[in-house]
Amino acid sequence: AARWLPRVASWTLAGFVISQMLGAWMGQGAYNALLVVGGFVLYRTVLSPPNETGPLRETLRPRLVAMVMNGVAVLVIGVALGAAGLLPRLEANEHSTLAGGVYDGAAAPYAVRETHDLVTWIDLILSIEAVGLRYYAGGATLLLALAAPFLARRQYGVPFFAVVAAVSFVLASDETLLHRLFYLLPRFQVIHEHYPERALIVFYLPMAMLAGATVAALQRGVRRPWTLMLLGG
């Protein structure tokens, strides 16, 4: 936002959402959600700001200032609004048998779960027979999402959501170099290895956004015969 009032209003709304994330799922859910929010702030302030005034090399400093200002603002507001529910839970965790999320003793067998390979995950998100439909996304949604980079290109945040979808999908599978990169984050490995497939909870948000971007691009008059044939198929 160019003016302070709508900017502060947007910060407050984003902070409220973060407070609900913290209140709904401390640990893996909140960690993954905050990574997505932080990534979006980076994307919209540094990589693809709404009002690009010049090349990255010439405008890097104001973009970095915007990233820090927006990122810190929404995080501080989010933690402040969620503190009433967050602080007692942190205190209770310190006195529990799993303080700090460390699985040892009798809980050691539950520290790490087996992961599925790539083929199995593709089957789960496409198959209506997936366990309790927990991972079912459906072929129509996936096809629309895959078409977004070709039809919408950089509109509607497509590059960001495409990366988030790919990263979350890979993180739910067997260990790769990408996993080792994320394991550099504080305590991410311990939290992620306990239940790797929960990374797919992030997967469906970008899927929905990418599918919506495809529909929006088609409604705005994008007409490429080969892509329309692909969608029709």
Side-chain angles (χ1 to χ4, degrees):
R3 293 180 296 134
W4 277 102
L5 182 59
R7 183 179 299 175
V8 172
S10 300
W11 287 345
T12 304
L13 179 60
F16 173 74
V17 173
I18 290 176
S19 73
Q20 299 307 293
M21 292 176 178
L22 297 176
W25 188 354
M26 279 297 299
Q28 190 172 9
Y31 203 145
N32 291 341
L34 288 174
L35 287 177
V36 175
V37 172
F40 188 72
V41 171
L42 171 66
Y43 175 76
R44 289 299 286 162
T45 56
V46 178
L47 302 179
S48 183
N51 300 309
E52 296 185 55
T53 57
L56 178 61
R57 180 180 300 179
E58 298 178 4
T59 59
L60 180 59
R61 182 171 180 175
R63 294 187 188 198
L64 291 176
V65 171
M67 179 186 69
V68 173
M69 179 175 61
N70 288 283
V72 171
V74 298
L75 184 61
V76 169
I77 293 174
V79 172
L81 291 176
L86 178 62
L87 295 178
R89 295 169 73 179
L90 292 175
E91 176 68 19
N93 178 265
E94 287 296 323
H95 300 283
S96 73
T97 57
L98 297 175
V102 177
Y103 287 76
D104 54 10
Y110 303 97
V112 179
R113 286 174 55 95
E114 294 184 0
T115 59
H116 298 306
D117 57 36
L118 184 62
V119 175
T120 302
W121 277 126
I122 293 175
D123 177 66
L124 285 173
I125 64 175
L126 285 175
S127 173
I128 196 68
E129 298 299 328
V131 182
L133 303 183
R134 187 181 305 168
Y135 307 111
Y136 178 64
T141 301
L142 290 174
L143 185 59
L144 289 171
L146 290 172
F150 303 100
L151 294 177
R153 298 192 177 184
R154 292 186 58 188
Q155 295 179 317
Y156 313 114
V158 165
F160 171 77
F161 291 114
V163 170
V164 172
V167 168
S168 59
F169 188 81
V170 171
L171 286 178
S173 305
D174 295 333
E175 184 172 319
T176 63
L177 184 60
L178 181 65
H179 289 76
R180 297 178 185 178
L181 180 62
F182 271 82
Y183 290 166
L184 297 176
L185 297 172
R187 298 196 60 76
F188 184 88
Q189 182 174 1
V190 174
I191 295 175
H192 179 75
E193 286 183 341
H194 171 56
Y195 219 126
E197 61 196 60
R198 285 177 176 166
L200 282 186
I201 291 174
V202 175
F203 178 73
Y204 298 103
L205 169 64
M207 282 290 99
M209 298 299 290
L210 291 171
T214 296
V215 174
L218 291 172
Q219 289 178 335
R220 294 185 62 178
V222 175
R223 297 292 183 268
R224 294 184 176 86
W226 67 271
T227 49
L228 293 177
M229 289 177 60
L230 176 64
L231 290 173

